Amino acid sequence: MHSDDRPLARLGSDCQASGRVVWLDLSSTMTAPNPLFHVVLHEPEIPNNTGNIGRTCVAAGCRLHLVHPLGFSTSEKACRRAGLDYWPRLGPIEHANFAALRQHFEDESLKEEARDRAGLADRIWVFTTKSTKPAWTAEMRRGDVLLFGKETEGLPASLLEEFPNRLRTFPMAPGERSLNLATAVCAAVYEGVRQLSERGDVSIDSDGRICM
């Protein structure tokens, strides 16, 4: 477990640190150099969920970020054993904690990617059962950050309080507790793709593929 702000590295034995964040060794094969969205999992616990979310990110041209501590290993051996053949193409970025994630999104390169929007608070959407605003009321822009909490507890109250106007939820039938994490991520990502497509920010070609 890591609780400080030191760099982390996974997926390979030779790790190279760059500031507070470590880019994985397979950066040359990472999908989506200019991703549609940044999907952030805050302290995920169940490897199968993260694996499914990773596949969604590869398919939809998104970048995956994992905020520690994690409930599983992302070592090369563990990924091979789980059959995650797409993991090298995903190239997830791991962060020691939320402070390290925040620093990452304040880097100049990501400010340029976000064009006129600087800083995490202006580009984050926080998905939680604690909100009453439906997910489709979020006006998603390319490069936005989609934040999701851990399976058993969701997001900490401190993060919900930090971004009160950015909270969104997926409405459910009375008495139901929550959606599966991977299901919620997929729903949010493709709602975002729908919005980008409607505005003409991305297009869908004749084969049904997203033109990045």
Side-chain angles (χ1 to χ4, degrees):
M1 300 294 183
H2 297 260
S3 58
D4 58 15
D5 201 14
R6 291 172 296 174
L8 294 174
R10 297 288 181 185
L11 201 60
S13 57
D14 297 325
C15 303
Q16 294 181 334
S18 175
R20 298 169 182 263
V21 178
V22 171
W23 290 77
L24 304 187
D25 294 340
L26 296 168
S27 58
S28 62
T29 60
M30 285 181 184
T31 188
N34 183 21
L36 295 189
F37 301 107
H38 295 270
V39 173
V40 178
L41 305 184
H42 188 269
E43 302 181 4
E45 300 167 309
I46 301 175
N48 287 354
N49 280 337
T50 298
N52 287 335
I53 291 165
R55 183 172 290 277
T56 294
C57 288
V58 169
C62 297
R63 174 80 72 216
L64 180 62
H65 300 256
L66 304 175
V67 178
H68 281 242
L70 310 182
F72 48 85
S73 171
T74 58
S75 68
E76 186 174 7
K77 180 179 179 180
C79 290
R80 263 202 322 270
R81 188 168 58 244
L84 303 181
D85 59 309
Y86 57 87
W87 202 255
R89 290 188 288 120
L90 173 64
I93 302 174
E94 300 187 17
H95 305 270
N97 48 39
F98 196 81
L101 176 86
R102 188 195 309 279
Q103 181 63 46
H104 176 73
F105 283 106
E106 290 176 358
D107 287 350
E108 287 302 318
S109 61
L110 288 179
K111 286 184 181 180
E112 291 174 3
E113 175 186 300
R115 295 182 178 87
D116 60 336
R117 292 170 298 130
L120 185 60
D122 297 319
R123 55 190 302 208
I124 193 170
W125 296 104
V126 181
F127 294 90
T128 171
T129 57
K130 304 295 193 300
S131 175
T132 59
K133 295 181 179 179
W136 52 83
T137 65
E139 187 177 347
M140 299 186 201
R141 301 288 180 177
R142 185 168 190 154
D144 276 355
V145 177
L146 313 182
L147 175 63
F148 299 84
K150 64 172 68 176
E151 288 89 343
T152 57
E153 300 178 20
L155 289 161
S158 59
L159 289 181
L160 301 182
E161 292 166 1
E162 183 175 353
F163 306 106
N165 298 322
R166 311 294 285 184
L167 307 184
R168 294 296 186 272
T169 193
F170 295 99
M172 295 175 288
E176 296 305 318
R177 181 170 55 87
S178 65
L179 292 174
N180 171 269
L181 177 59
T183 300
V185 171
C186 190
V189 165
Y190 276 96
E191 168 58 21
V193 172
R194 182 193 69 78
Q195 292 186 24
L196 295 181
S197 177
E198 281 197 349
R199 287 196 301 267
D201 296 336
V202 299
S203 59
I204 309 301
D205 68 17
S206 59
D207 295 322
R209 302 289 178 169
I210 302 170
C211 297
M212 302 292 292

